[in-house]
Amino acid sequence: MTTSALFRLSCFLFILQVLNVGMISAATSFYQFEVQTMRLTRLCQTKEIVTINGKFPGPAISAQEDDRIVVKVINMTPYNTTIHWHGIKQKLSCWYDGPSYITQCPIQSGQSFTYEFTVAQQKGTFFWHAHFSWLRATVYGPLIVYPKASVPYPFKKPFSEHSILLGEYWLKNVVELEQHVLESGGPPPPADAFTINGQPGPNYNCSSKDVYKIEIVPRKTYLLRLINAGINMESFFTIANHRLTIVEVDGEYTKPFTTERVMLVPGQTMNVLVTADQAIGKYSIAMGPYESAKNVKFQNTSAIAYFHYFGALPNSVALPAKLPVYNDNVAVKTVMDGLRSLNTVDVPKDIDARLFITIGINVNKCNSENPNNKCQGPSKGRLAASMNNISFVEPKVSILEAYYKKLEGYFTLDFPTSPEKAYDFVNGAPNDIANDTQAANGTRAIVLEYGSRIQIIFQNTGTLTTENHPIHLHGHSFYVIGYGTGNYDQRTARFNLEDPPYLNTIGVPVGGWAAIRFVANNPGLWLLHCHFDIHQTWGMSTMIIVKNGKTVQESLPHPPADLPKC
């Protein structure tokens, strides 16, 4: 072969390599999700549950940063459904975010809808879940976005990795359960079991073989991708005799922080490194409740899995794991205090809009002619939840579609962003109406200009009871610059503006407050809500509209052709 021919061949191979690298860095992954029922036996009973592709938990989705993901969802059940891609920002693809009646009408029985989005400048542990009724109890799975091929982790590459999904399991039909709770006006029943990757473990009846197990090689380090897919309960997690090093939360790297246990709120993800540095044996992995509210019934039996070293006898007794007591606020604060962004970050300093949002539980008056069945809340009232004392009313249209088409009458743009009365938030109701726990109803939105720098203070209220509320913002992440107990006071509040964690879900402390900052840089309509499903059902939600000064039609892409109809 001549020199010129060799040169041409080398150029051709180089071009192929460049094209191949480009294809790898921006691949498209296709999935088909069939929403279907299956019969499952747990806790001595067999029942029908809703699943994706007959799997519980559902199938994993994986991609690399900047990849495109296409998922066709076919609903083969009698229930409406949608899928939300939790933590994915949906840059210029808000039509595919997934919350029912917010960005889309539900996918009805026998219908389908194809979600298409790019994981632009995102990597880490996320998850997908149903966003209709309480179907998330069984319809969820991991969504793992890996760094690009040439980009290493900011820590030594682990020997292996495992996704650990924490859940709650009910023996009753969860759609019917939500309807019953709403009709009664009272509190929900606790879950019948906690689960780790769908398995309750040996602490529950008929469950000695329903145990998830990780096979471990001694002296190796493992990456555990923890995902709290639970419905109404925050969860402690620990492994007997092993320490957990947190290296990522909500898809963002953190400074390494080592602890014996962690707490995850529903909707939160957390990556931890665990080194198999103990004697060969079998060690319990435990998930148990963190319940900060008072006078609330909850499941107090731990789910158990096994950290099983190679070489340990199959029938060896597992060393027990020690969880904190169920209301250990100090354990929760210790972990939160340890979360810092990996590097110094660009926190917005000059703020364009300051919002103050109270979150809490309400008791509305009950005027039912059947009070024994309809008025089962405190003082024979009906339980509700609210933000700034506005209890969100879920419409029966797609709010995003109504906004895009300029349809009037479905929502208003007048959500109050500061309290109108002087509150003693933690110890009671407004000072001048101390016995009034009634919330107003409405479907209201907050409007933010594109590029505006936002600060929100979330204030936990004590009108009925105080508890830790997991607040989740769709379409954005935010810096958690501060938090504390009691009423927020700008004169004494201390903010971290150097390396605060960058999250999409924040547990607002029991009887306290949390401060976040972010840039409203994602045009669209985004849900802001408590990630306890019961609190969202009761109305602890609002919407944020980010507009960029153009018309709605110019700001957003056209609606998908197969967008479901209500």
Side-chain angles (χ1 to χ4, degrees), residues 187-207:
D192 294 294
F194 295 125
T195 60
I196 299 175
N197 282 356
Q199 306 286 2
N203 287 346
Y204 292 94
N205 290 338
C206 308
S207 302

Side-chain angles (χ1 to χ4, degrees), residues 60-63 124-126 142-147 153 155-164 197 212-217 220-227 247-248 253 270-274 307:
I61 286 179
S62 62
T125 299
F126 308 95
L143 196 169
I144 310 301
V145 182
Y146 293 96
Y153 291 126
F155 46 82
K156 185 178 179 181
K157 185 178 180 180
F159 175 73
S160 182
E161 66 175 58
H162 298 267
S163 294
I164 308 293
N197 282 356
Y212 179 72
K213 182 171 66 172
I214 303 175
E215 297 285 357
I216 297 299
V217 176
K220 299 295 185 181
T221 297
Y222 292 79
L223 177 66
L224 304 185
R225 298 179 180 270
L226 308 180
I227 299 169
V247 293
E248 177 193 305
Y253 292 133
M270 181 181 292
N271 285 5
V272 299
L273 296 173
V274 184
F307 210 56

Side-chain angles (χ1 to χ4, degrees), residues 443-463:
T443 308
R444 305 188 189 185
I446 302 167
V447 179
L448 302 176
E449 293 296 332
Y450 178 82
S452 59
R453 294 154 296 188
I454 308 300
Q455 175 177 292
I456 302 179
I457 305 296
F458 294 110
Q459 176 67 61
N460 210 323
T461 66
T463 310

Side-chain angles (χ1 to χ4, degrees), residues 26 281 297 315 410:
K297 294 181 180 179
N315 59 349
Y410 294 106

